[in-house]
Amino acid sequence: MKKWSLLLLVLFMAVSTFLAGCSGDSSNSGQSSKGANGATKLTLWTFGEQHAKFFEFMADEWNKTHPDKKIQLETTTYPYDDMHNKLLLSLQSGVGAPDIVDIEISRFSNYLKGKPQLVELNDIIDPVKDKAIQSRFDIYSKDGKYYGIDFHVGATVIYYNKELLDKAGVNPDEIVTWDDFREAGKKVVSATGKPMMTIETDGPWTYWPLVVQQGSDFYDKDGKVILDKDINIKTLTFLKQLLDEKIAIAAPGGNHHAEEYYGFMNKGGAASVVMPMWYMVRFTDYMPDLKGKIIIKPMPKWTADGKRSAGMGGTGTAITNQCKNVELAKEFLAFAKLSKEANIQIWKQLGFDPIRWDVWSDSALKEPNKYTEYFGDYIFDVLMSVKDEINSPTVTENTPKMNELVVQTVLYKVLKEKSMSPEQALKKVADEMRKQ
């Protein structure tokens, strides 16, 4: 039944695209052509309005500096699921895909199955590889070929409420390991009555980064399920102990993106939260009363020589194999996401930690904006200090299902309901995913 439904959808899209072609409307497909001003039309799909605005800005910059290769960039922003489903059908049917597209990291592997329907990007990535975080290219690769370029590193850090640490006499620079963190947490709870940290029970953003930080993951590099690995069991056991000892609490609302959570933290509800750098905008936009009180530090280590970060989340921008002007699309994509100026603009406009580390020390990244005014101008000094300590997760076609079960079964039953042990819950989900 599903097969027939898919065939009907593909047939519908093919007919729709044919009719659109007859009417001369190719605005949503990769049918590039010359516009009225002689510019070459390129189409781009995204699921983020801010991403669309960024690309439009970069297209204007491209046209100023490349008058002989002007482009007319037509961006279309779809709801997240709609865009990814529409893209998949377009690529499977061979018609209707855009020239350039944003693909969210957890969906990217869906487009690399079999022979990828995306264009290899090695020739534009190789020249800047030594200036960027390599793992952010690896997550969008297959058989040594790169197919996507990210906006950010997504380096996971820890945001401390310095006002609460000061009341407890805790120096954040002396928190080197997670054992140090636990001891400091006891002081914070005793002195302030506030928990040291919050833990997501309805989201992956506490547990998953702590696992990846140690070089472990839910899948190994070959796509084999390793969810029930000892490191993962010990990490979840550690989080459960923090809850049992009341050093941490479950995040109000279940996760760090809940409206209830923002209100809780804005009132000084907890002394820290572990999240990627892209979480800064949640502080500036939803927790204004903490301005000047939050400091950013690397995550504590698990061992003396352990790493202090993990690159989480992401969006890979790709070129589809239906693009009619691949070389021009590659040149523009390199300009828009790999050039030094582009990486500076990614910070200035989107507030993301860009993938090129050679711009992290550029004075442009210390210029006043809402992030430096909220946190200070040292943000990229923290990133530079962990440049070589950022592991990235392994993402497979089953990652969305895996994450759903980890949240709904493992985190909920171990940390919220407390009806299963870490080992029991992780083995249960690991066994289920091995059958996929």
Side-chain angles (χ1 to χ4, degrees):
M1 186 62 188
K2 287 183 178 178
K3 185 177 180 181
W4 279 108
S5 298
L6 178 60
L7 286 172
L8 286 172
L9 279 170
V10 169
L11 179 61
F12 172 77
M13 290 199 65
V15 171
S16 298
T17 302
F18 172 75
L19 292 175
C22 291
S23 67
D25 179 8
S26 61
S27 61
N28 278 344
S29 74
Q31 305 304 306
S32 306
S33 61
K34 291 286 185 182
N37 60 356
T40 300
K41 183 161 57 176
L42 293 176
T43 55
L44 183 149
W45 289 0
T46 183
F47 53 90
E49 188 63 38
Q50 293 302 317
H51 293 185
K53 291 179 180 176
F54 170 78
F55 280 118
E56 289 163 2
F57 172 85
M58 293 307 294
D60 289 341
E61 293 299 302
W62 167 271
N63 287 335
K64 290 177 187 174
T65 53
H66 298 78
D68 58 331
K69 295 182 180 179
K70 285 189 174 182
I71 64 171
Q72 179 183 336
L73 187 68
E74 293 191 358
T75 62
T76 306
T77 304
Y78 292 101
Y80 176 86
D81 284 331
D82 290 353
M83 194 217 77
H84 287 94
N85 293 336
K86 185 178 174 70
L87 177 66
L88 198 58
L89 288 171
S90 298
L91 293 177
Q92 288 175 340
S93 65
V95 290
D99 297 303
I100 304 171
V101 64
D102 273 351
I103 304 173
E104 199 268 338
I105 185 172
S106 68
R107 299 290 190 96
F108 206 92
S109 57
N110 289 333
Y111 307 93
L112 297 181
K113 292 179 181 177
K115 183 179 179 181
Q117 304 295 298
L118 306 175
V119 173
E120 179 190 334
L121 302 175
N122 289 46
D123 55 339
I124 60 173
I125 289 176
D126 285 344
V128 301
K129 278 172 62 176
D130 62 339
K131 303 177 181 68
I133 300 299
Q134 174 65 38
S135 60
R136 301 311 289 179
F137 295 130
D138 293 340
I139 53 180
Y140 304 115
S141 68
K142 180 179 182 180
D143 300 330
K145 297 178 180 178
Y146 305 114
Y147 294 97
I149 301 172
D150 215 325
F151 282 98
H152 60 62
V153 176
T156 305
V157 294
I158 186 163
Y159 299 88
Y160 287 112
N161 183 323
K162 192 171 183 303
E163 188 175 65
L164 291 179
L165 295 190
D166 287 344
K167 286 182 180 177
V170 170
N171 180 352
D173 291 328
E174 294 178 355
I175 302 176
V176 178
T177 68
W178 279 107
D179 285 337
D180 296 336
F181 179 88
R182 187 179 189 172
E183 293 305 311
K186 292 177 182 175
K187 294 180 181 176
V188 167
V189 173
S190 175
T192 69
K194 303 290 181 66
M196 181 63 165
M197 73 179 294
T198 56
I199 296 174
E200 288 197 341
T201 57
D202 187 25
W205 297 112
T206 307
Y207 178 55
W208 199 11
L210 267 61
V211 166
V212 174
Q213 175 194 8
Q214 300 171 80
S216 185
D217 208 331
F218 301 162
Y219 290 97
D220 68 12
K221 298 301 180 188
D222 296 322
K224 181 181 175 184
V225 174
I226 55 169
L227 179 66
D228 50 354
K229 193 176 177 179
D230 283 348
I231 288 177
N232 299 358
I233 295 172
K234 289 178 180 176
T235 305
L236 188 57
T237 300
F238 177 79
L239 292 178
K240 182 176 182 301
Q241 288 171 340
L242 291 181
L243 290 175
D244 291 343
E245 294 169 358
K246 303 189 186 308
I247 295 171
I249 64 166
N255 61 72
H256 296 152
H257 296 90
E259 191 172 334
E260 183 179 352
Y261 182 76
Y262 297 142
F264 167 81
M265 286 298 282
N266 192 43
K267 295 177 181 175
S272 71
V273 57
V274 170
M275 285 298 286
M277 291 288 284
W278 46 254
Y279 194 72
M280 284 187 292
V281 70
R282 274 68 171 185
F283 278 104
T284 58
D285 291 6
Y286 304 132
M287 295 173 260
D289 294 348
L290 295 181
K291 182 178 180 179
K293 298 178 182 177
I294 298 296
I295 56 174
I296 301 172
K297 295 288 181 180
M299 284 198 291
K301 303 176 182 180
W302 288 95
T303 59
D305 59 350
K307 294 186 176 181
R308 297 179 293 167
S309 189
M312 306 301 291
T315 298
T317 306
I319 298 172
T320 75
N321 64 354
Q322 293 177 29
C323 177
K324 302 301 182 188
N325 291 282
V326 169
E327 292 309 313
L328 181 60
K330 278 186 176 181
E331 286 186 59
F332 172 65
L333 186 56
F335 175 82
K337 296 196 75 173
L338 292 173
S339 69
K340 189 171 182 178
E341 179 58 28
N343 276 251
I344 291 173
Q345 290 300 328
I346 284 172
W347 160 249
K348 285 187 172 182
Q349 297 191 33
L350 300 173
F352 293 158
D353 45 342
I355 61 174
R356 275 187 64 159
W357 57 263
D358 63 334
V359 306
W360 293 355
S361 57
D362 194 290
S363 59
L365 274 64
K366 289 184 180 293
E367 293 175 2
N369 64 12
K370 69 176 184 179
Y371 303 107
T372 57
E373 290 172 359
Y374 190 100
F375 296 99
D377 64 2
Y378 65 93
I379 297 169
F380 285 92
D381 296 338
V382 176
L383 267 184
M384 283 299 289
S385 74
V386 298
K387 177 173 72 70
D388 300 320
E389 303 179 48
I390 305 172
N391 290 327
S392 281
T394 298
V395 179
T396 78
E397 59 191 77
N398 288 325
T399 290
K401 179 66 175 178
M402 171 69 89
N403 285 353
E404 178 184 332
L405 289 180
V406 167
V407 170
Q408 293 180 355
T409 300
V410 175
L411 300 183
Y412 187 80
K413 290 189 177 297
V414 174
L415 302 179
K416 184 72 173 179
E417 199 173 74
K418 299 186 178 180
S419 59
M420 297 180 78
S421 72
E423 184 172 5
Q424 287 173 330
L426 289 167
K427 286 191 176 300
K428 174 181 171 62
V429 172
D431 288 343
E432 185 171 341
M433 290 306 298
R434 289 188 179 105
K435 298 174 184 174
Q436 297 288 317

